Amino acid sequence: KVYQTVVIGNQEWMAENLKYLPSVVGPGTGSQSTPYYYVYGYDGTNVADAKATDNYATYGVLYNWTAAMDACPAGWHLPSDAEWTELTDYLGGISVAGGKLKETGTTHWQSPNRGATNETGFTALPGGYRYYTGDFNLIGTQGYWWSATEYLPDGAWYRYMLYSGSYVLSHVYTKADGFSVRCVRD
């Protein structure tokens, strides 16, 4: 797969969510230490069937943190929390960066998709996430992206954006969750 990319400040980012899918499991299968790959709404193990879904085509793959750490192609890597901070700082801070990163309109984001200009071409999409308890949640309203930065043995930092504001927020959650991945150039 050839990915669209965009240069923002001194960084080159993929302008779409990663779609690397070597295997797939349903949302009820999870682990913090074994790499798992999910496609929102798909509950099976057939890669071809998962790739045939609209959610795969639009939102890409959801990865647990262990899978996300090795998913980016050669020459790219999972961004650290500091690299996410560099991005949001360059765009004017966390309170406005989300609007500059989110796809405009309400084709994928639920209304009102507040503040979305996508002036960077990053085209952030609300792919939702796979909760560690085994459910898919929040497609259309929120997008979640892993960072490579751990927080204690069981957690890692991630960034998320909401349909209701221009923020790029950060938090720590269990490595067993399934989030999207945006790779950054080495």
Side-chain angles (χ1 to χ4, degrees):
K1 165 125 178 84
V2 176
Y3 291 92
Q4 299 296 316
T5 67
V6 63
V7 174
I8 305 171
N10 294 320
Q11 300 170 310
E12 184 177 1
W13 290 81
M14 287 186 176
E16 51 190 302
N17 289 347
L18 195 64
K19 292 184 176 180
Y20 174 65
L21 189 64
S23 63
V24 66
V25 295
T29 302
S31 170
Q32 292 190 23
S33 56
T34 302
Y36 284 118
Y37 309 84
Y38 309 92
V39 173
Y40 195 103
Y42 180 75
D43 190 3
T45 58
N46 185 294
V47 171
D49 289 348
K51 285 183 174 183
T53 66
D54 289 342
N55 285 338
Y56 173 83
T58 302
Y59 302 106
V61 175
L62 300 175
Y63 303 84
N64 72 357
W65 188 80
T66 304
M69 287 296 292
D70 292 321
C72 293
W76 297 82
H77 63 274
L78 187 67
S80 67
D81 188 61
E83 287 172 306
W84 276 106
T85 298
E86 180 181 340
L87 174 67
T88 57
D89 285 353
Y90 178 80
L91 296 175
I94 63 170
S95 65
V96 296
K100 296 175 182 181
L101 295 169
K102 291 191 303 178
E103 177 189 65
T104 59
T106 55
T107 300
H108 299 109
W109 287 96
Q110 180 177 308
S111 182
N113 196 15
R114 190 164 287 125
T117 66
N118 197 28
E119 62 193 70
T120 60
F122 188 88
T123 316
L125 294 173
Y129 71 104
R130 180 257 176 198
Y131 195 49
Y132 73 92
T133 59
D135 300 310
F136 291 120
N137 293 290
L138 301 176
I139 197 166
T141 63
Q142 297 181 25
Y144 296 79
W145 295 270
W146 279 121
S147 87
T149 305
E150 286 185 274
Y151 183 82
L152 302 176
D154 297 334
W157 286 95
Y158 66 92
R159 298 297 167 115
Y160 65 107
M161 298 176 215
L162 313 167
Y163 75 103
S164 58
S166 295
Y167 288 88
V168 176
L169 302 167
S170 62
H171 204 272
V172 172
Y173 222 77
T174 174
K175 295 175 183 177
D177 278 346
F179 295 156
S180 298
V181 164
R182 289 292 180 105
C183 304
V184 67
R185 179 84 69 179
D186 291 348

